[in-house]
Amino acid sequence: MRINKTVIKSIWIPLIAIILGLLVGAVVMLLSGFNPIENYINLFTGAVGTPNAIGEVLRTATPLILTGAGFAVANSAGFFNIGVAGQALVGWLGSVSFALAFPDLPRILMLPGAIIAGALAGALWSGIAGVLRAYFGASEVITTIMQNYIALYATNAIIKGVLAKHNNDYSPTIPKAAQLRTPFLENLTQNSTLHWGLLIAIVAAIFLWWFMKKTTMGFEIRAVGMNQDASRYAGMSTKRTIIMAMLISGAFAGLGGAMEGLGDFQNIIVNTAMPDIGYDGMSVSLLAGGAPIGIIFSALLFGVLKIGGLNISIASTTPSEIVNIVIASVIFFVGAQYLIRYWMAKSKSGKKAAAKKAAEAAGVSAQAVTDEAKNSGTNDPDDKEGE
C-alpha cells in the first residue's frame, strides 16, 4: 500500500504541475487578448494533426530523452549536473568528427562508431567535473557551468578551424553511412526529420531503468545520493561512485548530442549559445522526477508543446513565445513541487481533522444520551423484564 501511495504521488504531482502551467498560459493569453481555448486546440492539432507533425514531435523528443536521462543519473547521485548542454555539444562534435574522419567505413562500422564517439566525448567531458568533485570537493554546479562555456567556444573554434571548408560556419554533411535518417521514415511521416535515434533513446531509457534498479553500481549511485557518509561506512568507494555517475551522465548527454549530429542536422554548426536540448533535458528529467520511463513521456510532452506551439502563430496572431511561458510555468511548478505536496498534505490533514472532530462529536452525543438516561432513572428494557 505504501508503494502504491508513492507511485500515485509521483504521477499526480507532475500532472498538477502541467495543469497549473497550462492555466498560467491561458491567463497570459487572456490578458494579452488571445483566445486560450482556440490556441490550445491549434497547439494540439499542430502536434498530432498530421504524420509530419507527429514525426517532428518524436524527433524533438529523441535527444531530450537522452539528455534527461543523463541529468537523472547525476541527480540520483546527489549532483546537479548543469553541464548537460556542454556535454551534449561535445558529444555532437565527437560523433560528427568521427564520421568525417572515416568517410569510407561501411555503415555497420560507421554508425556505431560515430554513436560511441559521441557518448565517449560526453562522458570524458563530464568526467572532469566528477574527478574535481571526488578528489577536490569542487562544486559540480560551478565546474560544469564553466565547462559549458569552454565547450561552446572550443567547439566553435574546431568547427571554423578544422572541420569547415571555405570559411563556412558549418561542417560538411556527414557520409550517408553515418546518417540516422532513412527514406523509409521520411516517407512514413511525410518528409519529417524523424530518424532511428528515437529507438536508440527508448532503449537507452529502458537500460537506465535496469541499470539503476538491478545492478550493484546503480544501487551504489543511489546510496551515495542519499547519504555519502553512510555509503562510505558501508564500504562503498564514494570517489569511484561519484566519478562513475558523472561519466554515465555525460555519456547519455553525449548520445543526445550525437542524435542531433547524426539524425537531425547531419553536420555541426557554429553556435552562438548552448543547444536547447541540454537545458530542456534537465527540465524533462525534473518533470519526470528522474524516473527513466517517465522521462520518455515527459520528453514527448515537451515535443508536443514545442512543435505544436509553432502552429499557434501560424493559425492565429498569437506569438509562439506563449508556449515558452507555458513550458516555463510547468517547470516552475515542478521546481516548487513542495508547494503542491504541502497543499496535498494540508488537504489530507484537514480531512482527517474533520473526520476526527465528527467522531469526537458523535462520541460526546452518545455519552450524553447515556448520562441522561442514567440521571432520569431509565433502565434497560431487559432489566424491566427481569423485574
Side-chain angles (χ1 to χ4, degrees):
M1 189 68 180
R2 187 177 178 182
I3 295 176
N4 291 336
K5 287 182 179 180
T6 303
V7 171
I8 290 172
K9 276 187 177 182
S10 66
I11 295 173
W12 269 109
I13 290 175
L15 284 178
I16 292 173
I18 293 168
I19 293 169
L20 291 175
L22 293 173
L23 287 175
V24 169
V27 171
V28 171
M29 291 181 203
L30 284 172
L31 294 176
S32 304
F34 303 113
N35 187 333
I37 297 177
E38 179 184 344
N39 282 330
Y40 280 140
I41 291 174
N42 290 335
L43 185 150
F44 182 76
T45 55
V48 298
T50 64
N52 178 274
I54 294 173
E56 294 299 334
V57 167
L58 295 175
R59 188 268 307 163
T60 302
T62 297
L64 299 184
I65 294 172
L66 292 164
T67 53
F71 180 81
V73 174
N75 202 39
S76 295
F79 309 124
F80 200 84
N81 182 10
I82 205 170
V84 171
Q87 293 146 25
L89 185 57
V90 171
W92 186 346
L93 176 66
S95 62
V96 170
S97 297
F98 180 91
L100 294 176
F102 304 100
D104 298 324
L105 283 178
R107 185 174 178 82
I108 194 171
L109 296 177
M110 169 77 81
L111 189 54
I115 292 171
I116 293 171
L120 286 176
L124 292 174
W125 194 246
S126 178
I128 295 172
V131 171
L132 292 174
R133 172 68 187 225
Y135 287 97
F136 303 99
S139 169
E140 75 283 353
V141 175
I142 303 299
T143 54
T144 53
I145 287 176
M146 294 300 101
Q147 283 184 280
N148 279 347
Y149 287 104
I150 296 171
L152 176 62
Y153 296 122
T155 299
N156 287 345
I158 293 171
I159 295 169
K160 292 283 290 182
V162 180
L163 299 181
K165 296 180 179 179
H166 310 299
N167 203 32
N168 289 325
D169 289 335
Y170 51 86
S171 74
T173 301
I174 59 175
K176 284 281 186 182
Q179 295 178 11
L180 286 167
R181 270 198 261 175
T182 61
F184 169 74
L185 291 177
E186 290 179 356
N187 294 332
L188 186 66
T189 57
Q190 296 179 350
N191 295 318
S192 78
T193 54
L194 177 65
H195 52 81
W196 289 113
L198 176 64
L199 182 61
I200 296 172
I202 293 173
V203 171
I206 295 172
F207 169 79
L208 177 61
W209 172 85
W210 172 82
F211 176 80
M212 295 300 292
K213 298 293 184 182
K214 304 295 183 180
T215 67
T216 302
M217 177 56 67
F219 171 77
E220 290 181 356
I221 289 174
R222 290 185 287 116
V224 168
M226 293 177 187
N227 192 317
Q228 285 193 31
D229 294 331
S231 301
R232 192 180 298 110
Y233 182 78
M236 300 179 190
S237 173
T238 56
K239 287 184 173 62
R240 179 178 64 88
T241 304
I242 289 170
I243 294 172
M244 285 301 300
M246 292 301 289
L247 286 171
I248 296 168
S249 176
F252 276 104
L255 276 176
M259 296 304 101
E260 294 289 86
L262 305 178
D264 188 12
F265 289 85
Q266 300 182 345
N267 69 349
I268 186 168
I269 60 175
V270 170
N271 291 278
T272 57
M274 300 304 300
D276 291 338
I277 60 172
Y279 298 113
D280 287 344
M282 293 166 58
S283 303
V284 162
S285 181
L286 290 172
L287 179 60
I293 306 304
I295 286 172
I296 296 175
F297 293 102
S298 181
L300 288 174
L301 172 65
F302 270 62
V304 167
L305 291 174
K306 285 184 170 291
I307 298 302
L310 300 175
N311 193 49
I312 288 181
S313 57
I314 295 173
S316 69
T317 57
T318 308
S320 60
E321 286 77 12
I322 289 289
V323 177
N324 293 332
I325 296 176
V326 174
I327 293 174
S329 301
V330 170
I331 296 169
F332 168 80
F333 287 113
V334 170
Q337 61 180 275
Y338 69 91
L339 293 175
I340 299 175
R341 292 180 185 274
Y342 173 78
W343 174 77
M344 292 175 69
K346 188 175 181 181
S347 175
K348 186 176 180 180
S349 62
K351 290 179 181 179
K352 284 184 177 181
K356 185 177 180 181
K357 286 182 179 180
E360 289 176 351
V364 169
S365 299
Q367 186 64 39
V369 171
T370 303
D371 293 343
E372 182 64 26
K374 288 181 178 179
N375 293 333
S376 62
T378 304
N379 295 321
D380 189 87
D382 292 336
D383 294 337
K384 287 183 178 181
E385 289 179 6
E387 291 176 4

